[in-house]
Amino acid sequence: MSAPRHILAFALLGSSLPLQAQSLGDDPLLGELKLPTVLSATRLKQSPAEVPGSMTVLDRQLIRASGARDVPELMRLVPGMMVGYRSGNQMNVNLHGTNISEARRMQVLVDGRSVYRPGFATVEWSAIPLAIEDIERIEVFRGPNTAAYGANALMGVINIISRHPRDYAGTTLKYTQGDRGVSDWYGNQHFRLAQSDWRLSLSGVADDGFDLLEPGVEYRDSRQLERFNLSGAFNITHQQTLELQLAASHSKQQYYYDYEPYLKALRPSRDTLGAYDYAIAEHNPDSDSQISDYSLQGLWKNDINPDHSVQILAYAQQMNREQAWRACDSPIVFIDELKQLYDLNPTAARRVSKFLEYADAAYDMRTAMQISLGSEYTAQLGALGEAIKQARNGYRNSEPVCWDIDHNMEENRIHLEVQDTLRVNDQLRLMSGLSYRYDRATSETFFGGTVENHIVQGFGNLEYRPHARWLFQLGGMLEDDRLIGTSFSPRIAGHFFIAPLHSLRAVYSEAVRSPDMYENNAYWSYPIKNASGPVPANPEYYATGIGPGDLEQERMRAVELGYHGNFSRQGVSLDVRFFQERIDNMNSEPLKITDFYPNNNSRVEFRGGEAEVDWRLGYADRLRLTYAHIVYDASSKLDERLTPRHSGSAGWIHEWPAGFTSSLFYYGADELNERRFERADLRLEKRFELSASSALSLALTWQERLDDEALTWDENLYDSQSQYYLSAELSF
């Protein structure tokens, strides 16, 4: 059945319901009925039936019932969202897929503040300074939304909205303990000062990550995270409010040795190998990291009158990463011939290293390179290869050169934004705004110093309702990026209302993603500090990863047909979308210092459908189903790995008598990085009312993998398919 036929079927179903115009006053779409609202689609408060796209809302009940310990695990409840793990402390979240190693194409906000790193265009999920217990809801816009949030929102927006300080009372303490090293803690305190409410939260998360690197070898990928979050809300006048948030986090993460020697050891044996090979085989220091994240944020709102409001958002944030260790390699990495070879042909430089592992073999380097490189071979490359081979023979029995490496980085962002919302009349509503952002990244290794950027945005969204059954929206973002240039991202959408809570929509949007500083402006080199061993005079590492500086923006064009319906009497909310998304000018290259070739040569196209059903069966039961079917065509194999054709989730929450609550969830995907994923989660909770103002909750969460696959990568293994953790929460 084609997409239009699916939508027509839902339209006929919705049209069988009464319009309820009699009970909604003069305007059958506004009236007195309290509709659910979302904020993150267009920056306007809208009902889900009015959103120009598909929106998933994970509310507080769903977040608690899931038993999830972090936000990426919650994203499995979002249709079409893919969750991948590089290691136990490195999580990636992508809508529909693309490159598994770097999630570069979604905007992630915490109360409107972007936590998308300015230097590396990723999200450090393990360092976000907001506890999951402090989240009120998460709004996920599934689809391009550059029109509202700028160039990082190419494929979607995740807005994590914290609980308002007025929603707290007294004190809450919580502790969670389980296998795989799970040890989490949380505490909050509510207090009032004059005309303000405040909430102070302290929390920590710790676990051991995956169990096995390979049979019998433990995996070093644990994490420890401590967070501080202070949130305050002021009622300045009846029309004006001010919200403040001060947040900080400190994370420790385990990593293995993060340097690949140009010449590797063959076997760790003193009897058969020279000094270099044995030393390299034995040298394997850890490169653990520490990440500190600080932010200060303020939001001022002024409701001038019921039809006009203004707000100003301002925030400053800083992220520091400390990661340093000592690397060792052959003195050959500093010779002029290798640097010349790399400058002429990095592929040849990499392949020579493979040949040199077998330098004792009787072969001619020129012939070997000619066979390996084919049409890329030149006589100059062969001559350099032969010179490198001779240098290798000279260094055969030498000690390696060792020096200090650091991947330390400091990233800063300052953001100021003004937004105006005006209802001109019953038919017309306008949101408009301006913002300025300053980004800076400093790293001697990755940038050779500091890279700065200034971004100015002008955005708006116009709603026009010519009739009770019709709604049209026109939105766009004009963005000037000093490092990239100027771009405009438009969106146009039309809704037809079958009934007040049931709409058909058609959306066309264009979106962009600006290359980050690392892709476009990197100057990645290894300064040689505190060197030891046979150090040549004025050593200079042979490889340098230099960003081209002229990368173009990735560009998406997307079309969506959808239906949203709220069957209020039956307690059912249903959203269905069919989409076609094409991204051109993509950069899909793995960016390593020895293979640093960011470009705009890739493209990908996604087609498919997504559905989401939320059914509240009275007070005691809630059922939730999601499903996504995605067909993709990508020019790069790297952009195919994280896109299953079929994925989804199912959940059942039940309130039992005597304070018991149970929840059962299933998550499945037929292929995540070429691996099947299926898991069932069970959570049981018992609440004890200790007094009128105090309660104790005990909960057990049990997760069971229903497949026998590694998670995303071969090395991401557990020694058991089951995991459990217990939590106790006391509020008073």
Side-chain angles (χ1 to χ4, degrees):
M1 183 181 289
S2 65
R5 290 182 180 178
H6 278 297
I7 295 176
L8 179 60
F10 285 114
L12 293 174
L13 176 62
S15 63
S16 66
L17 300 175
L19 278 175
Q20 305 176 17
Q22 296 84 354
S23 62
L24 296 180
D26 296 334
D27 188 339
L29 296 178
L30 300 176
E32 298 178 356
L33 183 64
K34 292 184 178 180
L35 305 179
T37 59
V38 294
L39 305 171
S40 305
T42 63
R43 299 171 177 259
L44 287 169
K45 186 177 290 187
Q46 297 174 307
S47 76
E50 298 171 333
V51 170
S54 288
M55 178 74 77
T56 293
V57 179
L58 307 179
D59 57 54
R60 185 163 177 78
Q61 182 197 35
L62 194 60
I63 293 171
R64 185 179 181 91
S66 72
R69 298 173 53 240
D70 48 50
V71 173
E73 282 297 307
L74 288 170
M75 293 299 104
R76 299 190 190 279
L77 294 165
V78 179
M81 197 70 78
M82 310 306 164
V83 180
Y85 282 77
R86 296 180 67 181
S87 65
N89 53 39
Q90 290 181 291
M91 297 158 274
N92 281 332
V93 178
N94 276 318
L95 184 69
H96 296 168
T98 69
N99 194 312
I100 187 173
S101 298
E102 303 293 344
R104 298 185 178 117
R105 299 179 175 91
M106 258 194 337
Q107 181 63 274
V108 180
L109 309 169
V110 175
D111 294 322
R113 174 177 65 88
S114 174
V115 294
Y116 198 83
R117 295 175 59 188
F120 271 72
T122 56
V123 177
E124 286 283 358
W125 292 103
S126 292
I128 293 177
L130 182 69
I132 201 166
E133 290 83 2
D134 288 327
I135 297 175
E136 178 63 28
R137 66 184 186 278
I138 301 176
E139 297 182 355
V140 182
F141 187 89
R142 307 186 331 262
N145 205 2
T146 302
Y149 290 99
N152 289 337
L154 182 78
M155 301 190 72
V157 175
I158 299 173
N159 191 10
I160 304 168
I161 301 171
S162 64
R163 297 182 68 192
H164 195 279
R166 284 196 300 268
D167 295 335
Y168 293 80
T171 304
T172 300
L173 302 174
K174 182 179 178 182
Y175 182 71
T176 300
Q177 183 78 38
D179 61 355
R180 299 177 184 167
V182 170
S183 180
D184 303 344
W185 57 274
Y186 168 80
N188 77 59
Q189 176 66 54
H190 169 266
F191 54 94
R192 290 185 57 83
L193 293 175
Q195 298 299 314
S196 63
D197 286 89
W198 292 84
R199 180 262 299 156
L200 172 63
S201 294
L202 302 174
S203 59
V205 174
D207 57 55
D208 292 338
F210 294 103
D211 291 325
L212 304 174
L213 181 63
E214 57 187 53
V217 180
E218 292 187 3
Y219 198 171
R220 291 193 74 261
D221 62 342
S222 70
R223 59 169 174 159
Q224 290 183 323
L225 169 66
E226 291 83 35
R227 294 172 295 213
F228 165 93
N229 193 286
L230 177 64
S231 179
F234 299 80
N235 290 320
I236 302 173
T237 67
H238 291 299
Q239 291 81 31
Q240 298 183 52
T241 61
L242 176 64
E243 298 177 10
L244 298 176
Q245 190 173 124
L246 175 64
S249 69
H250 182 71
S251 174
K252 297 179 181 179
Q253 300 180 355
Q254 287 184 331
Y255 290 95
Y256 284 97
Y257 184 41
D258 195 18
Y259 176 84
E260 184 175 354
Y262 184 75
L263 293 181
K264 299 179 181 179
L266 301 181
R267 296 180 304 276
S269 170
R270 287 189 185 274
D271 297 332
T272 59
L273 298 181
Y276 168 79
D277 293 298
Y278 185 82
I280 288 294
E282 291 294 295
H283 184 79
N284 191 29
D286 301 324
S287 57
D288 297 350
S289 73
Q290 298 189 51
I291 303 172
S292 300
D293 193 324
Y294 310 96
S295 65
L296 175 63
Q297 176 176 336
L299 176 63
W300 174 76
K301 296 181 180 180
N302 184 9
D303 294 325
I304 299 172
N305 58 54
D307 296 322
H308 190 197
S309 65
V310 177
Q311 70 175 42
I312 298 176
L313 171 67
Y315 62 82
Q317 62 186 43
Q318 176 177 307
M319 175 180 284
N320 298 329
R321 174 188 286 272
E322 298 179 7
Q323 187 178 24
W325 67 98
R326 194 161 179 81
C328 291
D329 210 331
S330 168
I332 201 172
V333 299
F334 304 116
I335 67 172
D336 291 339
E337 290 83 358
L338 181 57
K339 184 170 181 57
Q340 293 174 35
L341 183 62
Y342 177 84
D343 291 340
L344 289 172
N345 191 316
T347 301
R350 290 196 306 274
R351 293 184 180 176
V352 165
S353 72
K354 300 299 181 184
F355 301 151
L356 293 179
E357 291 180 7
Y358 306 97
D360 291 336
Y363 69 83
D364 179 77
M365 180 66 78
R366 292 177 176 85
T367 303
M369 290 184 65
Q370 186 173 11
I371 295 172
S372 174
L373 296 173
S375 60
E376 295 182 62
Y377 176 80
T378 66
Q380 185 179 7
L381 297 180
L384 288 170
E386 192 65 33
I388 295 169
K389 177 182 177 182
Q390 296 305 317
R392 165 57 169 156
N393 292 337
Y395 288 125
R396 184 69 178 172
N397 294 314
S398 73
E399 294 284 344
V401 175
C402 298
W403 71 97
D404 292 343
I405 279 184
D406 74 70
H407 282 183
N408 299 342
M409 178 178 288
E410 178 182 303
E411 296 173 88
N412 302 85
R413 172 170 290 156
I414 298 174
H415 183 96
L416 178 64
E417 176 181 293
V418 180
Q419 178 178 315
D420 183 275
T421 304
L422 175 65
R423 182 183 294 276
V424 180
N425 52 46
D426 290 342
Q427 294 179 313
L428 194 63
R429 187 164 63 145
L430 173 65
M431 182 280 300
S432 59
L434 290 170
S435 73
Y436 166 77
R437 190 173 84 222
Y438 168 73
D439 288 342
R440 183 178 69 185
T442 301
S443 172
E444 186 177 1
T445 298
F446 292 113
F447 298 112
T450 297
V451 179
E452 298 177 315
N453 197 14
H454 301 265
I455 300 170
V456 178
Q457 299 173 328
F459 51 89
N461 192 79
L462 179 69
E463 284 186 352
Y464 176 56
R465 196 185 301 270
H467 185 272
R469 290 189 180 271
W470 289 98
L471 172 64
F472 298 99
Q473 299 185 64
L474 179 63
M477 169 77 73
L478 180 64
E479 186 168 17
D480 182 71
D481 185 314
R482 192 186 72 173
L483 294 178
I484 304 298
T486 303
S487 61
F488 178 67
S489 302
R491 175 171 59 203
I492 184 170
H495 289 72
F496 174 72
F497 288 85
I498 308 160
L501 306 183
H502 300 261
S503 70
L504 299 175
R505 65 180 178 271
V507 185
Y508 171 77
S509 58
E510 297 181 7
V512 298
R513 184 188 79 87
S514 297
D516 63 28
M517 294 174 177
Y518 174 57
E519 296 169 86
N520 206 32
N521 305 97
Y523 191 87
W524 186 359
S525 63
Y526 286 135
I528 309 305
K529 297 180 179 180
N530 301 321
S532 63
V535 186
N538 302 316
E540 184 178 352
Y541 191 74
Y542 78 97
T544 302
I546 301 177
D550 60 354
L551 284 178
E552 298 179 6
Q553 291 178 317
E554 299 180 351
R555 295 189 175 274
M556 174 190 278
R557 289 177 173 83
V559 177
E560 175 179 327
L561 299 176
Y563 161 81
H564 184 89
N566 190 318
F567 301 84
S568 56
R569 293 182 180 178
Q570 291 79 18
V572 177
S573 177
L574 171 65
D575 188 88
V576 179
R577 72 183 291 240
F578 299 91
F579 59 87
Q580 181 175 10
E581 302 166 341
R582 180 183 174 93
I583 309 175
D584 293 300
N585 289 356
M586 285 181 66
N587 176 27
S588 299
E589 295 299 309
L591 303 179
K592 301 179 179 180
I593 188 171
T594 55
D595 187 16
F596 199 87
Y597 277 106
N599 57 58
N600 294 115
N601 297 339
S602 298
R603 52 121 190 114
V604 67
E605 182 175 345
F606 297 107
R607 304 181 307 278
E610 298 168 356
E612 182 177 71
V613 181
D614 199 323
W615 186 7
R616 299 174 185 265
L617 293 81
Y619 171 80
D621 290 280
R622 180 179 180 183
L623 298 177
R624 194 173 183 280
L625 303 172
T626 68
Y627 172 73
H629 173 64
I630 303 173
V631 179
Y632 55 87
D633 177 23
S635 61
S636 171
K637 294 294 184 182
L638 297 174
D639 289 321
E640 296 181 353
R641 292 180 173 176
L642 201 62
T643 305
R645 290 185 179 271
H646 304 278
S647 61
S649 67
W652 171 41
I653 305 172
H654 183 73
E655 300 284 348
W656 300 89
F660 284 95
T661 303
S662 66
S663 53
L664 179 64
F665 289 88
Y666 166 83
Y667 309 100
D670 63 348
E671 197 173 54
L672 277 172
N673 201 23
E674 304 173 355
R675 293 169 178 80
R676 184 170 60 95
F677 174 80
E678 287 187 272
R679 197 181 78 196
D681 293 5
L682 173 66
R683 185 176 185 272
L684 301 174
E685 180 180 357
K686 165 62 176 174
R687 180 178 175 86
F688 301 89
E689 299 292 344
L690 304 180
S691 69
S693 59
S694 62
L696 172 67
S697 294
L698 302 177
L700 165 68
T701 300
W702 187 284
Q703 298 177 345
E704 183 75 23
R705 285 288 295 275
L706 305 178
D707 58 73
D708 56 359
E709 303 281 350
L711 188 54
T712 313
W713 295 106
D714 286 337
E715 60 268 26
N716 291 348
L717 297 169
Y718 292 117
D719 55 15
S720 171
Q721 299 293 91
S722 300
Q723 181 184 17
Y724 76 90
Y725 40 92
L726 299 163
S727 64
E729 180 178 315
L730 177 64
S731 58
F732 54 93

